[in-house]
Amino acid sequence: QDMPLRTAKLKPVHSVGKAAAFSAALPGLGQAYNKKYWKIPIIYAGFGVFTYFIITNNGDYKDFREAYLYVANGDTTFTDNPYVDKYNQTQLRDAMEYYRRNRDLSIILGCVWYALNILEAYVDAHFFDYDITDDLSLRISPAAVSFPKNSIQPAPGIKVALKF
């Protein structure tokens, strides 16, 4: 006799690789794949902050660089740069380096933010199907412990048992 085949419905596996790849392709897409939509505005707010600092520091760097080159070359043509008459050559160079450093640091931190976005989606995808049941319990009770193992006299201690 032929027995009918039973077909089991398989639950689709939540892929950690897909979550990471989606976040790498478009920041926040991995979080959407993980159904954690509330994290997406946080990611883009971070990118907005870093973009703001990159743009403002780069603009100040260019202004101080232009003024520094103008003063260092002894240029006498008209310029509308307000820093030329305000600071000396050393101050202009220091300010130029300060804003360049801040711009570069903002770029590096923006890249770290991008990497954290991918890492967060990857880690969160691991917990997507994680089952948290009521069967978890933690029991703490007193215990007699022999330390070292060959000791005759037991010492008081605490026993911690985690039940899955």
Side-chain angles (χ1 to χ4, degrees):
Q1 266 187 357
D2 289 342
M3 303 238 354
L5 295 174
R6 290 186 180 185
T7 58
K9 290 186 179 180
L10 295 176
K11 186 177 177 184
V13 177
H14 194 79
S15 171
V16 295
K18 272 187 184 178
F22 287 161
S23 266
L26 180 66
L29 193 57
Q31 285 73 13
Y33 176 72
N34 290 337
K35 296 184 181 3
K36 299 291 172 67
Y37 304 106
W38 65 271
K39 295 179 181 180
I40 297 171
I42 296 169
I43 291 169
Y44 281 99
F47 281 119
V49 167
F50 289 118
T51 301
Y52 169 78
F53 283 119
I54 290 168
I55 290 171
T56 56
N57 284 314
N58 191 49
D60 289 339
Y61 164 72
K62 285 181 177 181
D63 290 342
F64 276 101
R65 182 173 163 253
E66 178 187 18
Y68 172 74
L69 292 173
Y70 183 88
V71 171
N73 292 332
D75 200 346
T76 56
T77 59
F78 173 76
T79 181
D80 60 348
N81 191 313
Y83 303 127
V84 170
D85 298 326
K86 204 177 216 183
Y87 301 108
N88 64 33
Q89 185 174 344
T90 305
Q91 291 171 324
L92 289 170
R93 186 189 70 238
D94 290 345
M96 177 183 73
E97 290 174 359
Y98 172 80
Y99 287 111
R100 181 191 48 81
R101 247 189 330 270
N102 283 349
R103 179 203 59 196
D104 294 348
L105 181 62
S106 297
I107 291 170
I108 291 168
L109 291 175
C111 292
V112 168
W113 186 255
Y114 174 74
L116 285 175
N117 150 66
I118 297 169
L119 181 66
E120 192 284 325
Y122 179 79
V123 169
D124 193 46
H126 276 289
F127 294 116
F128 188 81
D129 294 324
Y130 190 72
D131 183 28
I132 299 176
T133 63
D134 294 334
D135 294 340
L136 293 175
S137 64
L138 178 69
R139 223 175 67 206
I140 300 173
S141 60
V145 181
S146 294
F147 186 78
K149 289 286 185 188
N150 56 2
S151 173
I152 298 171
Q153 191 76 16
I158 296 176
K159 177 181 176 183
V160 177
L162 181 62
K163 180 183 173 186
F164 292 99

